[in-house]
Amino acid sequence: MSGPPDIDDQLLRGLLDTLVMDLLREGPNYGFGILEALGERLGEDAGIVKESTLYPLLHRLADRGYLASHQEPGDRGRPRRYYRLTDEGQEFLGTRLAEWRRVAGLLDRTLLRSPGLPTSTS
Amino acid sequence: MSGPPDIDDQLLRGLLDTLVMDLLREGPNYGFGILEALGERLGEDAGIVKESTLYPLLHRLADRGYLASHQEPGDRGRPRRYYRLTDEGQEFLGTRLAEWRRVAGLLDRTLLRSPGLPTSTS
DNA sequence: TCGGTTTACTTTACGCTACAAGGTAAGTGG
DNA sequence: CCACTTACCTTGTAGCGTAAAGTAAACCGA
């Protein structure tokens, strides 16, 4: 039960923002809640997004106008900052999803056509 | 007919090495040849890999032992440096392809489950 | 010998983002 | 005031893709 190996950072670049924004379509959420929700969505790959990645990411997206935020008290401890998708954010998300589809399609056609090509060294 | 918009850099990270190594399964190739071959493979997305991206990439992979190279004269001009996959490289490529499949699968399940979801609130 | 041409490879500086590690902040209850 | 809980923030580092410009090695004709 060692779990799956960690995914290479580089492979996640430019994907995490899409992942987070997509999650926010379900409704506003805050830092810890987002991490938790991603853990549920991704199952075995929980922890794919790190805390020190998420917060700067949220700030970037907010700076660009894709997210808006407000504070709200929690049950205990420091109040939470909830983020929600803006209209601009939804539009941006749409283009990111389309881009993902294009790239994924491209690579499926090129990379995955011969899953275990044996080496053809002859 | 402006062609497809450029793909975000970030989305390509950690993918280009896989793309190049996969191409080299077809046989040894050199810088310009690789660029050309990728252009053919990717069709409309020709130029997805830039010259100033490819050469450092080849050097990295060679430093790590995944590629080996030798020089050979071309028809005209400077001689070419051909790269080929080493055994280590083939193994590495296998893990990268598996990783790609895992990530692509994850995102297909989470991101793409509602292709054009208009906001689905309610 | 010397440019000029073709082909191919190299280098520099920069920007973005993921991360680890550690810190800070704002509540509650003793 | 202090400890505890929950949540957020910051600093520094590293990797990789890119534009722009430069270098290198072959051949050619005058």
Side-chain angles (χ1 to χ4, degrees):
Chain A
M1 292 297 297
S2 52
D6 278 353
I7 295 173
D8 189 320
D9 302 0
Q10 307 294 328
L11 207 49
L12 299 178
R13 288 194 171 228
L15 236 54
L16 296 186
D17 54 350
T18 307
L19 208 52
V20 169
M21 293 179 81
D22 184 65
L23 176 72
L24 288 178
R25 290 198 307 184
E26 293 182 356
N29 210 339
Y30 69 103
F32 273 37
I34 293 173
L35 290 175
E36 196 181 356
L38 287 176
E40 287 173 19
R41 275 198 174 201
L42 300 178
E44 31 176 1
D45 290 278
I48 202 178
V49 182
K50 311 300 187 305
E51 198 181 343
S52 53
T53 300
L54 178 64
Y55 286 111
L57 187 159
L58 291 172
H59 299 159
R60 275 200 303 277
L61 294 179
D63 284 349
R64 293 171 189 174
Y66 301 141
L67 301 182
S69 72
H70 72 280
Q71 278 207 1
E72 217 169 292
D75 285 354
R76 273 191 304 282
R78 178 175 182 169
R80 302 163 172 176
R81 176 164 297 278
Y82 281 83
Y83 289 88
R84 68 170 179 79
L85 269 182
T86 62
D87 289 349
E88 249 189 313
Q90 294 201 19
E91 193 184 327
F92 180 64
L93 176 57
T95 69
R96 299 294 275 161
L97 286 174
E99 205 175 355
W100 161 255
R101 279 188 208 99
R102 247 180 81 232
V103 171
L106 269 176
L107 296 191
D108 278 348
R109 287 199 298 280
T110 62
L111 287 185
L112 303 181
R113 53 187 173 192
S114 1
L117 195 119
T119 305
S120 94
T121 335
S122 79
Chain B
M1 294 298 299
S2 51
D6 278 353
I7 295 174
D8 188 318
D9 300 1
Q10 307 295 328
L11 207 49
L12 298 178
R13 289 193 171 228
L15 235 56
L16 297 185
D17 53 352
T18 306
L19 208 53
V20 169
M21 293 178 81
D22 184 66
L23 176 72
L24 289 178
R25 289 198 307 184
E26 292 181 356
N29 210 339
Y30 69 103
F32 274 38
I34 293 174
L35 290 175
E36 195 181 358
L38 287 177
E40 286 173 21
R41 276 198 172 200
L42 300 178
E44 31 177 0
D45 291 277
I48 200 178
V49 182
K50 312 298 189 306
E51 198 179 343
S52 52
T53 299
L54 178 64
Y55 286 110
L57 187 158
L58 291 172
H59 297 159
R60 276 198 304 276
L61 294 179
D63 285 348
R64 293 172 188 172
Y66 301 140
L67 301 182
S69 71
H70 72 279
Q71 279 208 1
E72 216 169 291
D75 286 355
R76 272 191 307 281
R78 181 177 179 169
R80 304 162 171 179
R81 177 163 296 277
Y82 281 83
Y83 288 88
R84 66 170 180 79
L85 268 182
T86 62
D87 290 347
E88 250 187 314
Q90 295 201 18
E91 194 184 327
F92 179 65
L93 175 56
T95 69
R96 298 295 275 161
L97 285 174
E99 206 176 356
W100 160 255
R101 280 188 207 99
R102 247 181 81 232
V103 171
L106 269 176
L107 296 191
D108 278 349
R109 286 199 298 280
T110 61
L111 288 184
L112 302 181
R113 51 188 174 193
S114 357
L117 196 118
T119 305
S120 112
T121 342
S122 84

